[in-house]
């Protein structure tokens, strides 16, 4: 009887260590900030942006080194709907509603694949945007700023096959109220008539989930992103945009009960090429991909290998402006 009990304890300890190791090495991709890919709209005009995001998370990094490890992988698939409404010439209100599916596969000691998943509504984002520059005075330049809350509408209590609460970045929601800050700048006709320069800066000030794992307090790290790129307009049967961007992302460490969560936070640099096709002023599609160029992470983390996305833009008013470049806020 004692031998059986000891074996059960060893088995539970092994399963628990597998769960903790998975929790300590994952830099996931939950898009808690939404797409925020639309600018301002004309008064009473409505814009929609529907986006599918496919984030493959297989690279195991130890600080700046890529490790040879194929025992675990993650996949985040998201569908995000962004609604933009023009309040006036200068103000617009944006809402982002995400649906997230998280999948994780781990090769266990017996060479079996342990599979867990969580899916559901993510955290909603509301953003009030303001156009700083008068479009009548600066027709070739646009500068927008925005701010608003991210609300904890997504679940945070999914468990795995052993009944243990999944790591926070495997959950569809964050469980916290966050502050979102956003700025967009664009200048057209740079050097050549069909070239535009664009820049986007975002910042997320993370709040606390005070009921994580029932009794713990979890706080994601604050996140900063700076994006800059070039856009070229051409015409091939339809008007098109060819663009390439660079993205710098930095996130501070996550905290659990005020203590550093191992394997969280770091710095990333991505290259983002893409293409837009405008069928008419009310309908366009955009496709792009994210490829990592540089990663410097805290400890060992499983992070994005590559990501591709596809979005559909349409509006209910001929007065509505075409969407600005589409970028994500987080890779949780």
């Amino acid at each position: 009887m004692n031998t059986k009990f000891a074996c059960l304890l060893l088995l539970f300890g092994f399963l628990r260590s597998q769960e903790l190791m998975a929790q300590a090495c994952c830099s996931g991709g939950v898009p808690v900030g939404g797409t925020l890919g639309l600018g301002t709209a004309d008064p009473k005009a409505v814009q929609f942006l529907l986006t599918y995001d496919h984030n493959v998370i297989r690279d195991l990094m130890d600080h700046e080194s890529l490790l040879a490890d194929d025992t675990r992988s993650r996949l985040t698939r998201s569908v995000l709907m962004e609604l933009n409404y023009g309040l006036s010439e200068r103000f617009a209100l944006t809402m982002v509603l995400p649906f997230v599916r998280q999948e994780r596969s781990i090769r266990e000691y017996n060479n079996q694949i342990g599979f867990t998943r969580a899916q559901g509504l993510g955290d909603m984002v509301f953003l009030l945007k303001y156009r700083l520059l008068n479009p009548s005075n600066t027709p070739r330049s646009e500068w927008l700023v925005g701010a608003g809350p991210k609300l904890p509408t997504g679940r945070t209590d999914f468990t795995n096959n052993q009944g243990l609460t999944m790591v926070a970045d495997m959950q569809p929601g964050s469980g916290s109220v966050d502050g979102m800050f956003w700025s967009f700048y664009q200048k057209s006709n740079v050097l050549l008539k069909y070239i535009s320069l664009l820049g986007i800066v975002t910042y997320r000030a993370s709040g606390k989930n005070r009921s994580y794992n029932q009794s713990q307090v979890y706080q994601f790290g604050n996140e900063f992103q700076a994006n800059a790129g070039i856009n070229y307009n051409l015409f091939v049967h339809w008007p098109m945009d060819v663009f390439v961007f660079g993205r710098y992302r930095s996130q501070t460490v996550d905290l659990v009960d005020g203590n550093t969560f191992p394997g969280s936070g770091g710095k990333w640099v991505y290259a983002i090429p893409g293409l837009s096709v405008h069928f008419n002023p009310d309908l366009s599609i955009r496709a792009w991909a994210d490829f990592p160029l540089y990663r410097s992470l805290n400890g060992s983390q499983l992070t994005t290998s590559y990501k591709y996305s596809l979005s559909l833009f349409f509006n209910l008013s001929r007065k509505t402006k075409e969407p600005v470049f589409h970028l994500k806020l987080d890779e949780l």
Side-chain angles (χ1 to χ4, degrees), residues 217-280:
V217 177
Y218 195 99
Q219 184 175 15
F220 283 101
N222 298 329
E223 182 186 54
F224 170 80
Q225 289 194 45
N227 312 270
I230 187 171
N231 188 89
Y232 180 75
N233 307 115
L234 69 157
F235 187 90
V236 182
H237 191 69
W238 291 294
M240 296 184 181
D241 295 324
V242 178
F243 58 85
V244 61
F245 268 67
R247 174 194 298 161
Y248 169 77
R249 174 180 174 235
S250 176
Q251 183 173 323
T252 59
V253 296
D254 298 354
L255 300 176
V256 180
D257 294 333
N259 300 312
T260 298
F261 187 78
S264 64
K267 297 176 176 62
W268 296 258
V269 176
Y270 292 92
I272 309 169
L275 174 70
S276 296
V277 180
H278 306 275
F279 300 107
N280 59 57

Side-chain angles (χ1 to χ4, degrees), residues 40-245:
T40 58
D42 290 331
K44 298 183 180 179
V46 181
Q47 299 174 328
F48 292 92
L49 189 65
L50 186 64
T51 301
Y52 172 73
D53 185 85
H54 193 94
N55 190 0
V56 178
I57 307 170
R58 294 176 181 170
D59 288 355
L60 181 60
M61 300 290 299
D62 182 29
H63 301 284
E64 298 182 10
S65 301
L66 178 62
L67 304 181
D69 184 285
D70 61 353
T71 61
R72 64 194 66 227
S73 64
R74 289 267 302 271
L75 176 63
T76 300
R77 291 182 284 186
S78 313
V79 176
L80 307 103
M81 187 184 74
E82 182 175 351
L83 172 67
N84 207 35
Y85 179 72
L87 300 173
S88 67
E89 281 292 333
R90 292 289 187 96
F91 286 95
L93 182 64
T94 294
M95 180 196 75
V96 178
L97 179 64
F99 182 86
V100 182
R101 178 182 172 90
Q102 297 268 34
E103 300 176 1
R104 183 179 66 193
S105 299
I106 299 178
R107 184 179 301 166
E108 299 174 346
Y109 71 101
N110 57 1
N111 214 31
Q112 298 294 313
I113 300 298
F115 177 80
T116 54
R117 66 174 177 85
Q119 66 179 29
L121 181 70
D123 291 344
M124 295 180 64
V125 174
F126 292 91
L127 204 67
L128 181 64
K129 300 175 180 177
Y130 177 69
R131 182 186 285 125
L132 292 173
L133 301 179
N134 188 328
S136 300
N137 299 332
T138 57
R140 295 183 180 181
S141 298
E142 189 169 22
W143 187 11
L144 312 171
V145 294
K150 179 194 68 62
L151 304 179
T153 53
R155 283 183 57 181
T156 61
D157 58 354
F158 280 95
T159 58
N160 63 12
N161 298 332
Q162 287 78 47
L164 303 173
T165 301
M166 291 185 187
V167 64
D169 68 358
M170 272 288 291
Q171 306 288 348
S174 65
S176 64
V177 177
D178 300 349
M180 309 295 300
F181 305 93
W182 171 87
S183 181
F184 168 86
Y185 180 81
Q186 174 177 325
K187 184 175 181 60
S188 59
N189 296 354
V190 178
L191 299 179
L192 297 176
K193 181 178 179 181
Y194 302 107
I195 293 181
S196 300
L197 297 180
L198 302 94
I200 301 176
V201 174
T202 61
Y203 183 76
R204 186 190 73 234
S206 299
K208 297 179 180 180
N209 176 8
R210 300 185 180 277
S211 58
Y212 174 70
N213 202 14
Q214 297 182 346
S215 60
Q216 293 180 299
V217 177
Y218 195 99
Q219 184 175 15
F220 283 101
N222 298 329
E223 182 186 54
F224 170 80
Q225 289 194 45
N227 312 270
I230 187 171
N231 188 89
Y232 180 75
N233 307 115
L234 69 157
F235 187 90
V236 182
H237 191 69
W238 291 294
M240 296 184 181
D241 295 324
V242 178
F243 58 85
V244 61
F245 268 67

